[in-house]
Amino acid sequence: MPLRSLENSSSIPSTFLLSGIPGLEHIHIWISIPLCITYLVSILGNCMILFIIKTEPSLHEPMYLFLSMLALTDLGLSLCTLPTVLGIFWVGAREIHHDACFAQLFFIHCLSFLESSVLLSMAFDRFVAICRPLHYASILTNTVIGRIGLASLGRSVALIFPLPFMLKRFPYCGFPVLSHSYCLHQEVMQLACADIKANNIYGMFVIVSTVGVDSLLILFSYALILRTVLSIASRSERLKALNTCVSHICAVLLFYTPMIGLSIIHRFGKQAPHLVQVVMGFVYLLSPPLMNPIVYSVKTKQIRDRVTRAFCY
């Protein structure tokens, strides 16, 4: 069949089909219970962090302002996937209009890369606090923090904005079925009946210029922090300095580990069982919003004390 007629026979469908957990459709309603609890804890936890930081004047410092950015990003990630995930597991609503799918993947990827930027900003905050303590207040002013936040948001939006339009121009064969309960660029582009080389190259460029660069800069920041900490004579002071970084290190591991794992599976692990992809997808999207408020509430004394007072009085 000539290429032109083949292209004419394929068109963008009005809907894509999302997937739950393959083989466990008969117990989706039971699986929805832990998912609901996870979403509820994530949303309430991040709202609690934002409320505490807003209402406690002593927390209006750079470290906590960056933490509020992280909580906002995690809250956005939870809210943009909640409708489709719970729709599938509650009522089996698998269909999603292609425009809604492209919008969802835009927000998922934009917020994911924004979280990477925020984690890098928090690493910079820890670097200045430990390596340049006398200049901390003069370097990280509210104006500088605001500019860092706007630059992070601008980078994420600018890099992700072309993706929905690049996907929209493709024809899609048959009735495309996605592997997850939400839309991701890597998955949608694989369903296109066209040459996706440009999307592959641009997708790799986006990942390298965001996650790749950010993770390297975070490692470099902690190398400098470690060098400074090791030069401190007192063992108790060294431990005190490192303890201020524990929460951030946990947040970095919670974010980057599943994200890198899911990207590898989508791009190079096509033979991996479908269940592995689904589980990794849920870990990637649900674990940071769920665990970050818990980690910071446990490891940060000011927040822990505020939470304790709220529940004890």
Side-chain angles (χ1 to χ4, degrees):
M1 184 183 292
L3 179 60
R4 184 176 297 276
S5 62
L6 180 63
E7 290 177 350
N8 290 336
S9 66
S10 302
S11 59
I12 296 180
S14 60
T15 58
F16 294 115
L17 267 186
L18 299 171
S19 299
I21 299 180
L24 299 178
E25 289 81 4
H26 59 291
I27 59 170
H28 271 183
I29 190 66
W30 296 106
I31 297 173
S32 70
I33 295 174
L35 284 175
C36 285
I37 294 172
T38 299
Y39 274 113
L40 184 63
V41 173
S42 300
I43 292 170
L44 291 179
N46 285 292
C47 287
M48 179 191 68
I49 293 291
L50 289 169
F51 176 77
I52 289 173
I53 292 174
K54 178 178 174 57
T55 57
E56 186 64 46
S58 64
L59 299 182
H60 295 174
E61 299 177 1
M63 174 183 174
Y64 302 105
L65 294 178
F66 285 125
L67 177 56
S68 65
M69 293 181 192
L70 185 67
L72 275 173
T73 305
D74 284 336
L75 190 60
L77 272 173
S78 294
L79 293 176
C80 72
T81 59
L82 184 148
T84 54
V85 172
L86 295 188
I88 289 173
F89 286 91
W90 272 353
V91 296
R94 296 181 59 194
E95 292 189 5
I96 181 171
H97 193 274
H98 66 276
D99 286 338
C101 184
F102 297 151
Q104 186 183 51
L105 70 86
F106 168 80
F107 284 109
I108 289 175
H109 290 298
C110 186
L111 289 168
S112 294
F113 295 135
L114 177 58
E115 181 149 347
S116 178
S117 298
V118 173
L119 290 172
L120 173 60
S121 303
M122 296 174 83
F124 177 66
D125 168 78
R126 292 298 84 206
F127 163 75
V128 176
I130 294 173
C131 301
R132 301 287 188 274
L134 298 179
H135 302 93
Y136 183 69
S138 60
I139 293 175
L140 288 174
T141 62
N142 289 340
T143 301
V144 170
I145 294 170
R147 288 174 179 172
I148 290 174
L150 288 175
S152 300
L153 178 61
R155 184 186 72 161
S156 300
V157 171
L159 288 172
I160 303 302
F161 188 76
L163 291 184
F165 300 100
M166 294 173 74
L167 292 171
K168 194 175 179 67
R169 64 189 175 89
F170 288 142
Y172 294 85
C173 298
F175 201 55
V177 179
L178 300 170
S179 300
H180 298 292
S181 306
Y182 46 83
C183 298
L184 293 175
H185 171 255
Q186 303 97 310
E187 264 213 302
V188 175
M189 74 174 179
Q190 295 293 339
L191 299 176
C193 300
D195 183 7
I196 60 172
K197 184 178 180 181
N199 279 60
N200 259 320
I201 293 173
Y202 185 73
M204 287 299 296
F205 165 74
V206 170
I207 290 175
V208 170
S209 60
T210 53
V211 175
V213 172
D214 292 351
S215 58
L216 287 176
L217 290 175
I218 289 172
L219 285 174
F220 180 65
S221 298
Y222 272 101
L224 296 177
I225 288 171
L226 189 59
R227 187 183 68 175
T228 301
V229 168
L230 291 177
S231 66
I232 300 174
S234 170
R235 183 174 182 273
S236 61
E237 289 297 321
R238 290 200 298 267
L239 292 176
K240 183 179 178 181
L242 287 175
N243 191 52
T244 64
C245 302
V246 171
S247 299
H248 179 253
I249 292 172
C250 291
V252 169
L253 293 176
L254 284 167
F255 175 75
Y256 283 108
T257 304
M259 183 186 213
I260 293 171
L262 186 63
S263 296
I264 291 173
I265 287 175
H266 274 302
R267 293 181 182 277
F268 308 110
K270 294 183 174 60
Q271 303 305 317
H274 187 198
L275 183 60
V276 173
Q277 296 186 28
V278 173
V279 172
M280 282 296 295
F282 280 122
V283 172
Y284 158 59
L285 278 182
L286 297 182
S287 60
L290 172 68
M291 294 305 299
N292 283 341
I294 296 173
V295 169
Y296 274 94
S297 297
V298 171
K299 294 298 298 179
T300 307
K301 184 180 184 301
Q302 292 88 331
I303 294 178
R304 185 174 66 248
D305 291 345
R306 186 67 171 78
V307 171
T308 302
R309 289 203 306 271
F311 284 99
C312 291
Y313 297 100

